[in-house]
């Protein structure tokens, strides 16, 4: 059995000089060594603000290098990062900030008035995130630059790394704590299933306040020693240019995003794509066929949930069989189908799906009723 790993493993997965993070909008490329150094400096700056193991830090930041660096810096301290949708209204920010009770809120410099108003109402400290011309991230508190570097206590595998909320479609959104070891275990299973290597380049199309974008497009890609392309904005025309220019080998997105990209498809002469991936909602067989014809590579449908640190099942790459409309085979989780008495059912029988595995959250935060209803003997319903 593999020993639990801290999230910092993603920064040590490749040679220091190999490219880790590429932001085409800034013309920025950070090697693994440079990214690790920036994360270390930022962790020291956060420690200078009084943050440490067990604290919570909310981030309402758009996609870009900053949110990747800051999430890794927060978790390096053993603190928990709670990424929020920067498009939330003031009322939505008020709800999530009250529920999370973070020690600090990180916002883009001079932006997101709705989040600022919510933070002010909660008497929550705000630090601004500034970066100029692709340089290192700077944190500003009360208008002053926070000292860089500094010593801090490093986090470990059993620290909560990410706090996310369930969608709340049937009840009040629940907080899902994902430990560092949960995230790494899930990302490792993805590197194995998709055969990811240092030669692979992932395109981050999904928002980084979502488990899909974090674990699949970012952590799994880095854990394989490959590169991630992190645009500040997903522009379909630029996407097709970036795929060719930057040697992208795989892209993962939800069906809605794939549909948007395919509607504006351009010829991919010289593309290095070897597969594309769809997750987060059901992929129709028609869209799968269109995607495979347009991208010119296999489309792999997968199934994931926040509670399982994203992927639990996926269709295999060729020469394995891809079944349209199917979630595929187990990847990072054990999956059972049980009856009302919790007994395993024969193949082909309808029943309740339950999952278990190293990526599974230890349970909803401060919600014993939901935990009693959703977890049993290490299995999630």
């Amino acid at each position: 059995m593999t020993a639990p790993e801290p999230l910092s493993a993603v920064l040590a997965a490749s040679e220091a000089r190999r490219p880790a993070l590429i932001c085409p909008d800034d013309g920025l490329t950070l090697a693994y060594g440079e990214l690790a150094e920036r994360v270390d400096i930022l962790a020291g700056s956060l420690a200078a603000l009084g943050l440490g193991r067990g604290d919570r830090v909310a981030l309402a930041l758009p996609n870009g290098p900053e949110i990747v660096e800051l999430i890794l810096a927060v978790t390096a301290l053993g603190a928990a990062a709670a990424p929020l949708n920067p498009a939330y209204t003031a009322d939505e920010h008020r709800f999530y900030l009250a529920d999370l009770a973070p020690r600090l809120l990180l916002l883009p410099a001079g932006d997101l008035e709705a989040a600022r108003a919510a933070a002010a109402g909660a008497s929550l400290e705000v630090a601004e995130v500034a970066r100029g011309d692709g340089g290192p991230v700077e944190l500003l508190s009360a208008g002053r630059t926070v000292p860089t570097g500094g010593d801090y206590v490093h986090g470990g595998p059993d620290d909560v790394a990410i706090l996310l909320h369930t969608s709340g479609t049937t009840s009040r959104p629940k907080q899902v704590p994902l430990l560092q070891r949960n995230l790494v275990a899930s990302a490792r299973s993805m590197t194995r299933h998709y055969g990811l290597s240092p030669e692979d380049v992932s395109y981050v199309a999904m928002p980084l306040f979502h488990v899909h974008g974090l674990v699949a497009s970012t952590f799994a890609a880095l854990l394989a020693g490959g590169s991630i392309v992190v645009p500040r904005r997903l522009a379909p025309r630029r996407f097709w240019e970036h795929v060719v220019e930057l040697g992208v080998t795989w892209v993962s997105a939800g069906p809605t995003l794939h549909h948007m990209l395919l509607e504006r498809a351009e010829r991919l002469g010289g593309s290095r794509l070897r597969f594309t991936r769809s997750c987060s909602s059901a992929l129709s067989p028609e869209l799968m066929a269109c995607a495979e014809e347009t991208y010119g590579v296999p489309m792999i449908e997968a199934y994931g949930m926040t509670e399982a640190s994203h992927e639990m099942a996926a269709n295999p790459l060729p020469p394995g069989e891809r079944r349209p409309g199917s979630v595929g085979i187990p990847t990072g989780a054990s999956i059972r189908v049980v009856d009302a008495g919790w007994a395993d059912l024969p193949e082909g029988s309808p029943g309740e799906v339950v999952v278990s595995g190293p990526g599974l959250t230890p349970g909803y935060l401060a919600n014993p009723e939901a935990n009693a209803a959703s977890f049993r003997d290490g299995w999630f319903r």
Side-chain angles (χ1 to χ4, degrees):
M1 189 173 183
T2 305
E5 297 177 90
L7 192 55
S8 59
V10 304
L11 296 174
S14 193
E15 298 175 5
R17 295 183 179 181
R18 287 190 67 89
L21 187 154
I22 301 164
C23 180
D25 307 282
D26 299 352
L28 173 70
T29 298
L30 291 178
Y32 273 84
E34 294 172 314
L35 179 58
E37 182 179 6
R38 289 190 176 193
V39 167
D40 184 63
I41 290 171
L42 278 172
S45 296
L46 291 167
L49 288 171
L51 295 165
R53 174 170 278 160
D55 287 328
R56 301 173 191 172
V57 179
L59 309 88
L61 298 168
N63 273 22
E66 295 85 359
I67 189 170
V68 176
E69 294 174 46
L70 282 162
I71 285 176
L72 291 174
V74 169
T75 58
L77 292 172
L84 301 174
N85 185 345
Y88 280 153
T89 64
D91 284 343
E92 288 170 323
H93 277 297
R94 273 190 285 272
F95 167 80
Y96 287 108
L97 292 176
D99 204 43
L100 290 164
R103 284 278 308 277
L104 181 72
L105 172 62
L106 295 172
L107 297 176
D111 200 1
L112 297 189
E113 288 305 317
R116 289 175 193 277
S123 299
L124 173 63
E125 181 180 359
V126 172
E128 294 192 311
V129 178
R131 164 181 261 160
D133 301 323
V137 174
E138 289 186 344
L139 299 182
L140 308 174
S141 179
R144 296 187 177 183
T145 302
V146 179
T148 58
D151 295 330
Y152 59 92
V153 176
H154 290 258
D158 290 315
D159 288 315
V160 176
I162 303 290
L163 267 175
L164 297 170
H165 279 83
T166 57
S167 60
T169 52
T170 57
S171 62
R172 176 189 173 92
K174 298 181 284 288
Q175 287 190 54
V176 183
L178 298 175
L179 309 183
Q180 295 196 26
R181 59 179 169 85
N182 295 150
L183 296 168
V184 177
S186 180
R188 282 244 182 253
S189 71
M190 290 190 64
T191 65
R192 292 190 294 268
H193 185 77
Y194 299 102
L196 300 179
S197 78
E199 303 304 315
D200 279 302
V201 179
S202 163
Y203 192 93
V204 182
M206 293 292 286
L208 290 170
F209 55 80
H210 193 283
V211 71
H212 182 162
L214 283 171
V215 177
S217 305
T218 304
F219 297 154
L222 292 174
L223 202 57
S227 307
I228 58 172
V229 176
V230 188
R232 295 190 176 278
R233 186 171 62 89
L234 182 61
R237 180 168 294 179
R238 289 292 290 152
F239 164 80
W240 294 98
E241 295 172 359
H242 291 157
V243 166
V244 176
E245 293 170 2
L246 301 174
V248 173
T249 61
W250 67 288
V251 58
S252 184
T256 301
L257 276 182
H258 279 299
H259 181 73
M260 182 181 77
L261 295 172
L262 293 168
E263 278 191 323
R264 297 163 179 80
E266 298 183 7
R267 290 188 178 276
L268 282 178
S271 164
R272 290 183 61 227
L273 275 179
R274 64 183 186 90
F275 71 93
T276 57
R277 176 179 180 272
S278 181
C279 196
S280 297
S281 61
L283 177 71
S284 71
E286 294 77 16
L287 183 57
M288 179 179 173
C290 175
E292 295 203 340
E293 180 180 354
T294 306
Y295 288 123
V297 294
M299 167 62 82
I300 307 300
E301 182 170 14
Y303 177 52
M305 291 184 71
T306 302
E307 288 89 342
S309 299
H310 191 46
E311 187 176 280
M312 298 177 289
N315 281 264
L317 286 165
E321 179 188 1
R322 300 187 308 288
R323 295 187 183 180
S326 168
V327 300
I329 59 177
T331 53
S334 298
I335 301 177
R336 299 165 59 201
V337 179
V338 298
D339 62 18
W342 210 253
D344 290 311
L345 287 164
E347 183 175 347
S349 302
E352 182 175 13
V353 177
V354 295
V355 300
S356 183
L360 189 64
T361 177
Y364 297 118
L365 201 63
N367 199 330
E369 291 183 2
N371 287 331
S374 300
F375 294 87
R376 177 173 171 178
D377 301 329
W379 293 83
F380 175 66
R381 305 174 73 168

